[in-house]
């Protein structure tokens, strides 16, 4: 995949349907389900929570220093 143009990440902007209250001092990728431009975040987001991947079709890319996500905020997603 290294340098192969057929494997580019597809990114998009989406609106958060629900919030995420934890501060992100470093870059973080949250699991999400995006439909019609709105992304919903499952409650369990820790590394060991594999069940929250069920049905997810994207990651929300949170830059380092993000304080929190509020419902209605614009976020960047990476499609799976």
């Amino acid at each position: 995949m290294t340098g192969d143009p057929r494997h580019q990440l597809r990114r998009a902007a989406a609106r958060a349907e629900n919030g995420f209250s934890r501060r992100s001092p470093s870059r973080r990728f949250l699991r999400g389900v995006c439909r019609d431009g709105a992304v919903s975040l499952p409650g369990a987001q820790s590394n060991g929570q594999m069940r929250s991947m069920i049905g997810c079709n994207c990651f929300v890319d949170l830059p380092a220093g993000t304080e929190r996500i509020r419902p209605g905020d614009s976020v960047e997603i990476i499609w799976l």
Side-chain angles (χ1 to χ4, degrees):
M1 290 176 54
T2 314
D4 188 333
R6 296 175 296 171
H7 299 290
Q8 297 296 314
L9 296 176
R10 294 182 311 135
R11 296 177 176 267
R15 179 183 44 82
E17 285 188 338
N18 54 333
F20 184 74
S21 60
R22 294 189 62 193
R23 191 174 172 278
S24 298
S26 58
R27 187 177 187 188
R28 179 180 283 187
F29 295 93
L30 302 177
R31 301 163 187 96
V33 179
C34 189
R35 289 189 182 91
D36 300 323
V39 64
S40 175
L41 303 171
Q45 290 287 336
S46 66
N47 292 339
Q49 292 291 334
M50 297 307 291
R51 182 177 292 267
S52 63
M53 277 298 292
I54 296 171
C56 289
N57 60 2
C58 67
F59 287 119
V60 175
D61 187 357
L62 293 182
T66 301
E67 289 298 319
R68 65 181 170 195
I69 298 174
R70 294 181 182 93
D73 283 355
S74 180
V75 295
E76 183 177 16
I77 65 167
I78 301 171
W79 290 104
L80 297 176

